[in-house]
Amino acid sequence: MRRLLTAAAALALLLTGCTAGDEGAEDGVVRLRFQSLAWQKESVDANRQLVDEWNAAHPDVQIDYVQGSWDSVHDQLLTSFEGGEAPDIIHDASDDLADFAYGGHLADLRSLLPERLRTDIPARSWETTTFGDGIYGVPFLQEPRVITANRKLLESSGVRVPTPERPWSWTEFRQIARDLTRHMGAGRYAVAWPLKEPVSVSLNLGLSAGGRLFHREADGRVTVRSTEADTVVPGTVHDQVVTDRTAPRTTLGSGGSDTLPGFFAGKYAMVPLGFAYRQQIAQQAPEGFEWTVLPAPAGSAGLTQGVSPQTLSIAEDSPYKKEAMEFLDFFLRPANMVRLARGDWMLPTGTAALADPSLRTAEAGWATGAALAAHLRPAPAQSVRGYPEWKDKVATPAFQEYYSGAIDAAELRGRLVEDGNRVLARYQRK
């Protein structure tokens, strides 16, 4: 049934594309299909409003808004690329672009990018959409991982509350969790780790301790190597669950939203989550519930963590690349980027938008997120071909078993490295 629904959605988008193209040919108006993956009401509203504003001001270049879905975007795009009916403007995430970029489906934007956009977005963000010598997407929204915490429980326990200027170390975080668990009493835990998707959490937070796991050799090939730095974050999570009993096993297979009822009920004092989860907390928290946003712990590399920004790309087959980039230049003006960021409860990549006062208020933790922006780096596996298979077949089950205590650190390392390199080797044969 799921495959049928995905296929139906892809077919509907293809038909939308054909119709839009036919209308453009008939009335002389350039019509560009913009497939957006916005899904929260505030985000969808912001996207649609900006499309309407553009259309009102540009009668000769009209944008047709097409609603996509994060759940099926990779397969849907693959189908539409192969059928020659991809949207002109494509919303995706940088860690999903590699195969499409190397496969020739996305336009190289280097000759199209306006100077304002090129200089406003930092080089570290452009790295996430650079494959080979080309740039295949504009990174525009990013989401650091933070710790959402029960303010009253933290304050009543007497533990030191971290700030971006004075974060917890990973060692201190483990001790804080012990102290909090003792303070809270039986049946309650300092921290809940929702690790239904454990790989990105482990790799991205691992950068703070100097871990990388993926290493590009002199000949361009990528291999998996595990060092002591790569064990800091996974080891902390494992020890909190298995050794210290400061985090429950029951949430390891959960998504972030699944932990919120227990968080609101005081069962967990802290939940590491993506920055955008603040919207759900703000909307769903019971009256009187006080929460705060803390930075993730720091390691030898400070607050550094990996991100895979949301991106906007242009299809290589689009006959209207220049017009598509003109729309993106409008869509990502600083004021508009702020609107998109607030709609998605995320951070903009643009430096001008990030400086907006509304994104630096203490309310709902915006200031904490903004303080982390300078520490965000490309996710370790950003340009690794074969990463999706490594993640699904090797890393996800290995991390899940390690965090639950079913295997030890040596077994985890062996599987990530030995099994992982066998997978990557198939994608790097010359």
Side-chain angles (χ1 to χ4, degrees):
M1 179 60 72
R2 186 173 181 179
R3 291 193 184 96
L4 288 172
L5 290 173
T6 300
L11 178 60
L13 286 163
L14 293 179
L15 292 175
T16 300
C18 293
T19 302
D22 291 344
E23 289 175 356
E26 289 176 3
D27 60 18
V29 175
V30 171
R31 294 189 180 277
L32 301 173
R33 287 160 284 141
F34 167 35
Q35 180 172 305
S36 170
L37 303 181
W39 62 277
Q40 300 180 97
K41 183 181 184 305
E42 292 176 63
S43 180
V44 173
D45 289 347
N47 276 260
R48 286 188 174 275
Q49 287 165 8
L50 288 173
V51 167
D52 289 344
E53 290 171 19
W54 167 274
N55 286 341
H58 300 82
D60 295 333
V61 180
Q62 294 287 285
I63 304 298
D64 294 331
Y65 183 96
V66 179
Q67 186 63 60
S69 169
W70 286 108
D71 292 337
S72 58
V73 64
H74 185 88
D75 291 341
Q76 178 265 312
L77 284 175
L78 190 60
T79 300
S80 58
F81 283 135
E82 291 175 350
E85 290 294 344
D88 299 273
I89 301 167
I90 298 162
H91 182 187
D92 204 349
S94 60
D95 60 357
D96 191 42
L97 299 185
D99 288 343
F100 297 140
Y102 288 122
H105 299 303
L106 300 179
D108 182 353
L109 305 181
R110 287 177 296 171
S111 64
L112 298 169
L113 282 170
E115 187 63 19
R116 179 201 67 79
L117 202 55
R118 186 190 297 271
T119 57
D120 183 51
I121 296 174
R124 62 178 178 271
S125 295
W126 286 117
E127 288 177 24
T128 67
T129 58
T130 299
F131 303 94
D133 295 327
I135 296 174
Y136 295 93
V138 181
F140 73 110
L141 292 178
Q142 55 192 348
E143 183 180 22
R145 292 191 177 273
V146 295
I147 297 176
T148 56
N150 183 315
R151 184 191 300 274
K152 289 183 178 179
L153 281 175
L154 250 63
E155 292 177 349
S156 64
S157 71
V159 302
R160 183 178 78 82
V161 178
T163 64
E165 296 72 30
R166 290 191 63 219
W168 290 326
S169 67
W170 285 99
T171 300
E172 186 180 8
F173 176 52
R174 186 178 172 190
Q175 182 58 53
I176 291 291
R178 294 191 194 104
D179 295 340
L180 261 174
T181 300
R182 282 195 296 269
H183 170 75
M184 293 170 65
R188 300 202 292 173
Y189 300 88
V191 58
W193 284 97
L195 291 175
K196 185 177 182 179
E197 302 288 342
V199 181
S200 63
V201 177
S202 305
L203 297 187
N204 290 341
L205 289 180
L207 287 184
S208 68
R212 286 209 60 84
L213 209 59
F214 293 96
H215 299 267
R216 193 170 293 278
E217 310 298 340
D219 62 0
R221 292 174 180 266
V222 176
T223 58
V224 185
R225 295 200 304 272
S226 180
T227 67
E228 284 301 311
D230 292 299
T231 68
V232 172
V233 173
T236 300
V237 177
H238 170 274
D239 290 345
Q240 286 179 330
V241 174
V242 178
T243 306
D244 302 340
R245 307 292 177 89
T246 56
R249 280 188 175 85
T250 53
T251 65
L252 293 178
S254 302
S257 299
D258 300 326
T259 61
L260 295 184
F263 179 56
F264 297 147
K267 187 174 181 179
Y268 321 120
M270 301 181 292
V271 186
L273 292 169
F275 198 52
Y277 275 96
R278 297 170 305 126
Q279 183 187 39
Q280 290 186 48
I281 295 173
Q283 292 177 344
Q284 298 173 16
E287 186 175 353
F289 182 81
E290 297 183 18
W291 58 283
T292 188
V293 176
L294 312 176
S300 60
L303 289 168
T304 302
Q305 58 175 278
V307 291
S308 297
Q310 292 186 24
T311 57
L312 294 167
S313 301
I314 297 174
E316 174 61 27
D317 288 345
S318 173
Y320 304 116
K321 296 182 181 67
K322 175 176 173 291
E323 291 84 354
M325 182 54 73
E326 288 172 353
F327 169 72
L328 292 185
D329 189 27
F330 159 81
F331 194 70
L332 299 178
R333 289 175 182 172
N336 294 342
M337 201 182 280
V338 171
R339 291 164 64 181
L340 293 168
R342 291 190 64 84
D344 248 327
W345 287 64
M346 297 176 71
L347 297 178
T349 57
T351 53
L354 191 61
D356 189 276
S358 70
L359 302 182
R360 294 184 173 272
T361 176
E363 180 185 1
W366 279 106
T368 298
L372 297 176
H375 303 279
L376 303 180
R377 297 292 182 269
Q382 195 69 58
S383 60
V384 177
R385 300 203 73 176
Y387 169 72
E389 182 179 344
W390 175 85
K391 180 185 72 171
D392 293 342
K393 295 183 178 179
V394 177
T396 294
F399 275 121
Q400 287 173 337
E401 291 177 45
Y402 175 62
Y403 289 144
S404 69
I407 63 174
D408 61 16
E411 176 70 13
L412 172 68
R413 179 178 294 186
R415 287 166 62 172
L416 294 179
V417 175
E418 295 168 17
D419 295 349
N421 281 324
R422 279 195 288 270
V423 169
L424 297 190
R426 294 202 305 274
Y427 289 83
Q428 301 182 93
R429 292 174 181 155
K430 292 186 179 180

